[in-house]
Coordinates of all heavy atoms in Angstrom, one line a residue:
I1 N 66.0 118.5 52.2 CA 65.9 117.0 52.1 C 65.2 116.8 50.8 O 64.0 117.1 50.7 CB 65.3 116.3 53.2 CG1 65.9 116.8 54.6 CG2 65.3 114.8 53.1 CD1 67.3 116.4 54.8
A2 N 65.8 116.2 49.8 CA 65.2 116.0 48.5 C 64.2 114.9 48.5 O 64.2 114.1 49.5 CB 66.3 115.7 47.4
L3 N 63.3 114.9 47.5 CA 62.3 113.8 47.4 C 62.9 112.5 47.5 O 63.9 112.2 46.9 CB 61.6 113.9 46.0 CG 60.7 112.8 45.6 CD1 59.5 112.7 46.6 CD2 60.2 113.1 44.2
G4 N 62.4 111.6 48.4 CA 62.9 110.2 48.6 C 64.1 110.1 49.5 O 64.5 109.0 49.8
Q5 N 64.7 111.2 49.9 CA 65.9 111.2 50.7 C 65.4 111.0 52.2 O 64.3 111.3 52.6 CB 66.7 112.4 50.5 CG 67.3 112.5 49.2 CD 68.2 111.4 48.8 OE1 69.2 111.1 49.5 NE2 67.9 110.7 47.7
E6 N 66.4 110.6 53.0 CA 66.2 110.5 54.5 C 67.0 111.4 55.3 O 67.9 112.0 54.7 CB 66.5 109.0 54.9 CG 68.0 108.7 54.7 CD 68.3 107.2 55.1 OE1 67.5 106.4 54.6 OE2 69.3 107.0 55.8
G7 N 66.6 111.6 56.5 CA 67.4 112.4 57.4 C 67.1 112.0 58.8 O 66.3 111.1 59.1
Y8 N 67.8 112.7 59.8 CA 67.7 112.3 61.2 C 67.5 113.5 62.0 O 68.1 114.5 61.8 CB 68.9 111.5 61.7 CG 69.1 110.2 61.0 CD1 69.8 110.1 59.8 CD2 68.5 109.0 61.6 CE1 70.0 108.8 59.2 CE2 68.6 107.8 61.0 CZ 69.4 107.7 59.8 OH 69.5 106.5 59.2
I9 N 66.6 113.4 63.0 CA 66.5 114.4 64.1 C 67.0 113.7 65.3 O 66.4 112.7 65.8 CB 65.1 115.0 64.3 CG1 64.7 115.7 63.0 CG2 65.0 115.9 65.5 CD1 63.2 116.2 63.0
T10 N 68.2 114.2 65.9 CA 68.8 113.5 67.0 C 68.4 114.3 68.2 O 68.6 115.6 68.3 CB 70.3 113.5 66.9 OG1 70.6 112.7 65.7 CG2 71.0 112.8 68.1
V11 N 67.9 113.6 69.3 CA 67.5 114.3 70.5 C 68.4 113.7 71.7 O 68.5 112.5 71.8 CB 66.0 114.0 70.8 CG1 65.6 114.6 72.1 CG2 65.1 114.4 69.6
T12 N 69.0 114.6 72.4 CA 69.8 114.3 73.6 C 69.1 114.7 74.8 O 68.8 115.9 75.0 CB 71.2 114.9 73.5 OG1 71.8 114.4 72.3 CG2 72.0 114.4 74.6
F13 N 68.8 113.8 75.7 CA 68.2 114.0 77.0 C 69.2 113.9 78.1 O 69.8 112.9 78.3 CB 67.0 113.0 77.2 CG 66.3 113.1 78.5 CD1 65.9 114.2 79.0 CD2 66.0 111.9 79.2 CE1 65.2 114.3 80.3 CE2 65.4 111.9 80.4 CZ 65.0 113.1 80.9
N14 N 69.3 115.1 78.8 CA 70.2 115.1 80.0 C 69.4 114.8 81.2 O 68.5 115.6 81.6 CB 70.9 116.5 80.1 CG 71.9 116.5 81.2 OD1 72.0 115.7 82.0 ND2 72.6 117.7 81.3
T15 N 69.6 113.7 81.9 CA 68.8 113.3 83.0 C 69.3 113.9 84.3 O 68.6 113.6 85.4 CB 68.9 111.7 83.1 OG1 70.2 111.3 83.4 CG2 68.4 111.1 81.9
A16 N 70.3 114.7 84.3 CA 70.8 115.3 85.6 C 69.6 116.1 86.2 O 68.9 116.9 85.6 CB 72.0 116.3 85.3
G17 N 69.4 115.9 87.5 CA 68.4 116.6 88.3 C 67.0 116.0 88.0 O 66.0 116.6 88.5
R18 N 66.9 114.9 87.3 CA 65.6 114.3 87.1 C 65.4 113.0 87.9 O 66.4 112.4 88.2 CB 65.4 114.0 85.6 CG 65.7 115.1 84.7 CD 64.6 116.1 84.6 NE 65.0 117.3 83.8 CZ 64.5 118.5 84.0 NH1 63.5 118.7 84.9 NH2 64.9 119.4 83.3
N19 N 64.2 112.7 88.2 CA 64.0 111.5 88.9 C 62.6 111.0 88.6 O 61.7 111.8 88.4 CB 64.1 111.7 90.4 CG 64.1 110.4 91.2 OD1 64.5 109.4 90.7 ND2 63.7 110.5 92.5
G20 N 62.4 109.7 88.4 CA 61.1 109.1 88.1 C 60.8 109.1 86.7 O 61.7 109.3 85.8
F21 N 59.5 108.9 86.3 CA 59.1 108.9 84.9 C 59.2 110.3 84.3 O 58.8 111.3 84.8 CB 57.7 108.4 84.8 CG 57.2 108.3 83.4 CD1 57.6 107.3 82.6 CD2 56.3 109.3 82.9 CE1 57.1 107.3 81.2 CE2 55.8 109.2 81.6 CZ 56.2 108.2 80.8
Q22 N 59.8 110.3 83.1 CA 60.0 111.6 82.4 C 59.5 111.4 80.9 O 59.7 110.3 80.3 CB 61.5 111.9 82.3 CG 62.2 112.1 83.6 CD 61.7 113.4 84.4 OE1 61.7 114.4 83.8 NE2 61.3 113.2 85.6
Q23 N 58.8 112.3 80.5 CA 58.3 112.4 79.1 C 58.5 113.7 78.5 O 58.0 114.7 79.1 CB 56.8 111.9 79.1 CG 56.2 111.9 77.7 CD 54.8 111.3 77.7 OE1 54.6 110.2 78.2 NE2 53.8 112.1 77.2
K24 N 59.1 113.8 77.4 CA 59.4 115.1 76.8 C 58.9 115.1 75.3 O 58.9 114.1 74.6 CB 60.9 115.4 76.7 CG 61.6 115.2 78.1 CD 61.1 116.2 79.1 CE 61.7 115.9 80.4 NZ 61.0 116.6 81.5
Q25 N 58.4 116.3 74.9 CA 57.8 116.4 73.6 C 58.8 117.3 72.7 O 59.3 118.3 73.2 CB 56.5 117.2 73.7 CG 55.8 117.5 72.4 CD 54.4 118.1 72.6 OE1 53.6 117.5 73.2 NE2 54.2 119.3 72.1
I26 N 58.9 116.8 71.5 CA 59.8 117.6 70.5 C 58.9 118.0 69.4 O 58.2 117.2 68.8 CB 60.9 116.7 70.0 CG1 61.8 116.3 71.2 CG2 61.7 117.4 69.0 CD1 61.5 115.0 71.8
T27 N 58.8 119.3 69.1 CA 57.9 119.8 68.0 C 58.8 120.2 66.8 O 59.8 120.8 67.0 CB 57.2 121.1 68.5 OG1 56.5 120.8 69.7 CG2 56.3 121.6 67.5
V28 N 58.4 119.6 65.7 CA 59.2 119.8 64.4 C 58.3 120.6 63.5 O 57.2 120.3 63.2 CB 59.5 118.4 63.8 CG1 60.2 118.6 62.5 CG2 60.2 117.5 64.7
L29 N 58.9 121.8 63.1 CA 58.2 122.7 62.1 C 58.9 122.6 60.8 O 60.1 122.7 60.7 CB 58.3 124.1 62.6 CG 57.6 124.5 63.9 CD1 57.8 125.9 64.3 CD2 56.1 124.1 63.8
T30 N 58.1 122.3 59.7 CA 58.6 122.1 58.4 C 57.8 122.9 57.3 O 56.8 123.5 57.7 CB 58.5 120.6 58.0 OG1 57.2 120.3 57.8 CG2 59.2 119.8 59.0
N31 N 58.2 122.8 56.1 CA 57.4 123.3 55.0 C 56.4 122.3 54.4 O 55.8 122.5 53.4 CB 58.2 123.9 53.9 CG 59.1 122.9 53.2 OD1 59.4 121.9 53.7 ND2 59.4 123.1 52.0
A32 N 56.3 121.1 55.1 CA 55.4 120.1 54.7 C 53.9 120.4 55.0 O 53.7 121.4 55.7 CB 55.8 118.8 55.3
V33 N 53.1 119.5 54.5 CA 51.7 119.6 54.9 C 51.3 118.3 55.6 O 51.4 117.3 55.0 CB 50.8 119.8 53.6 CG1 49.3 119.9 54.0 CG2 51.2 121.1 52.9
P34 N 50.9 118.3 56.8 CA 50.8 119.5 57.8 C 52.3 119.9 58.1 O 53.2 119.1 58.0 CB 50.1 119.0 59.0 CG 50.3 117.5 59.0 CD 50.5 117.1 57.5
N35 N 52.4 121.2 58.6 CA 53.7 121.7 58.9 C 54.3 121.4 60.3 O 55.4 121.8 60.5 CB 53.7 123.2 58.6 CG 53.0 124.0 59.6 OD1 52.1 123.4 60.3 ND2 53.3 125.3 59.7

């Protein structure tokens, strides 16, 4: 992704077998600082 450009990280959550409050964490590793 060049300087000034945008991008998207799309996250799909499958609720099958889930019930009640759900919270999920997504960890993104990059060459940025912090990484």
Side-chain angles (χ1 to χ4, degrees):
I1 308 297
L3 169 64
Q5 296 298 306
E6 65 185 45
Y8 295 89
I9 295 174
T10 301
V11 179
T12 301
F13 174 46
N14 184 353
T15 64
R18 308 284 173 207
N19 192 25
F21 179 73
Q22 302 290 311
Q23 181 171 305
K24 307 300 176 192
Q25 178 175 302
I26 299 92
T27 303
V28 181
L29 296 177
T30 69
N31 66 330
V33 177
N35 71 338

